[in-house]
Amino acid sequence: MNFRPTIHAFGAVSLGLAAILMAPGNAFGQFPNYGPGTASYVTEATKYPDAASKPTPHTADGHPDLNGVWHHFFGGLVHPVGEGSFALGLGGGGRPGAAAGGPPPPRPTPDPMPDYKPEVLAKVKYLNDNQVKEDHVLHCMPPGVPRIGAPQEIVQTPKQMVFLYADSTGNYWRVIPLDGRGHSTDPDTDSTYMGDSIGHWDGDTLVVDVTRLTGDTWLADNGLFHSAKLHVTERFRRVGDTINYTMIADDPTILTKPWTIYRTLTLQMDTLDEAAPCVDNDAGHYVNQQHHDNAR
């Protein structure tokens, strides 16, 4: 993959923090599961420390205004280790540096690991051990929901939400209707990377319900796969110039309980740039099986 990501001044849709430390108590010897960009969300939050104390704006219909750029992309999945050779690992920062003479920057905490049923743990281990071959993202395929993470930009209208993403594997969007429709009942409707999303307001919280997700994607890095029965719920609650984002992945086929992660998004004052195309030129040059946490 010839990843040529757009570089921004702030954080990343990607993780670039945990490629060195091993997670204690991790049965597979995986890296800490920092999930999609926890380090970069901290980076962006430090830019606007008083964001949550701002007034919460509303649209003309009375709902919280979710319009704006809420996250950025930077970094990459691979780094050069020699002439024409690449390895998976840190693609560029992701954690804020300490100001001269100031306190150390906040450190993100790892996400909890999904609780897999015992009978599928061997598959998780196999995928983790062979990620550079088995992970479709490393061959320019879409990361899918929920691995792609929270939307980087939201365009809000009374009838729909549009989520925009500039990812290491390309540029993606999701259109979430708010008109009260249900999920498609057409048996011929195929599962997709982004799934079938519908939304509604629960008070001041936007709730997005996602079904029909292809089983070709993973929940996150390190072999954390899911089945085609995956059901994802996303919740967005604006507080000042932040959004409290919750993602719940329910997959009773392989998980013993739903997997939940949280993010705090911070409104960014610049634009979301288009990501460069992803070209699968690197896979034949990987020199080892090393990989880092979720590259979104």
Side-chain angles (χ1 to χ4, degrees):
M1 277 164 289
N2 185 15
F3 287 119
R4 294 169 291 165
T6 303
I7 306 299
H8 299 270
F10 313 123
V13 180
S14 171
L15 235 253
L17 175 64
I20 299 174
L21 302 176
M22 302 298 284
N26 190 325
F28 305 139
Q30 300 166 242
F31 302 122
N33 181 37
Y34 283 91
T38 54
S40 57
Y41 289 105
V42 171
T43 304
E44 292 176 330
T46 59
K47 190 76 174 181
Y48 306 101
D50 61 344
S53 64
K54 301 283 188 180
T56 300
H58 291 71
T59 58
D61 59 9
H63 295 301
D65 188 349
L66 304 187
N67 284 292
V69 174
W70 296 96
H71 199 41
H72 286 298
F73 171 88
F74 91 114
L77 291 172
V78 297
H79 62 272
V81 294
E83 185 67 28
S85 295
F86 301 84
L88 297 178
L90 292 174
R95 190 171 67 181
R107 183 182 180 92
T109 56
D111 288 325
M113 298 297 290
D115 290 309
Y116 284 94
K117 294 182 177 180
E119 59 267 28
V120 301
L121 290 176
K123 181 175 180 178
V124 176
K125 183 180 187 304
Y126 171 82
L127 293 174
N128 176 60
D129 292 345
N130 296 276
Q131 178 165 339
V132 296
K133 297 178 181 179
E134 300 292 337
D135 188 353
H136 293 180
V137 163
L138 299 184
H139 304 279
C140 287
M141 299 302 289
V145 173
R147 191 178 181 187
I148 199 168
Q152 296 159 43
E153 182 169 0
I154 298 176
V155 179
Q156 178 177 349
T157 74
K159 295 184 178 180
Q160 66 181 25
M161 293 283 183
V162 179
F163 293 169
L164 303 177
Y165 307 83
D167 190 73
S168 58
T169 62
N171 299 283
Y172 303 100
W173 71 90
R174 297 165 61 194
V175 177
I176 294 90
L178 302 175
D179 56 7
R181 75 181 68 180
H183 288 292
S184 172
T185 57
D186 183 351
D188 295 327
T189 300
D190 293 331
S191 298
T192 65
Y193 292 99
M194 296 301 187
D196 177 16
S197 297
I198 56 174
H200 70 274
W201 288 99
D202 179 10
D204 284 344
T205 299
L206 173 69
V207 181
V208 179
D209 192 85
V210 193
T211 60
R212 293 185 183 266
L213 290 158
T214 176
D216 290 339
T217 62
W218 293 359
L219 294 173
D221 201 71
N222 299 336
L224 303 182
F225 79 104
H226 63 81
S227 78
K229 300 295 185 182
L230 175 65
H231 175 206
V232 171
T233 304
E234 299 169 290
R235 299 180 66 87
F236 301 77
R237 182 173 180 270
R238 181 162 183 173
V239 179
D241 281 352
T242 68
I243 290 179
N244 295 330
Y245 172 77
T246 304
M247 189 288 302
I248 304 170
D250 188 13
D251 193 345
T253 302
I254 60 173
L255 299 180
T256 60
K257 64 180 182 181
W259 181 53
T260 304
I261 61 173
Y262 304 94
R263 300 282 180 264
T264 298
L265 318 181
T266 305
L267 184 65
Q268 304 297 302
M269 296 298 108
D270 55 355
T271 60
L272 179 67
D273 292 338
E274 181 181 356
C278 176
V279 182
D280 189 1
N281 291 331
D282 294 338
H285 300 282
Y286 293 147
V287 297
N288 57 40
Q289 294 286 334
Q290 179 184 355
H291 59 87
H292 64 92
D293 274 314
N294 198 333
R296 263 136 313 273

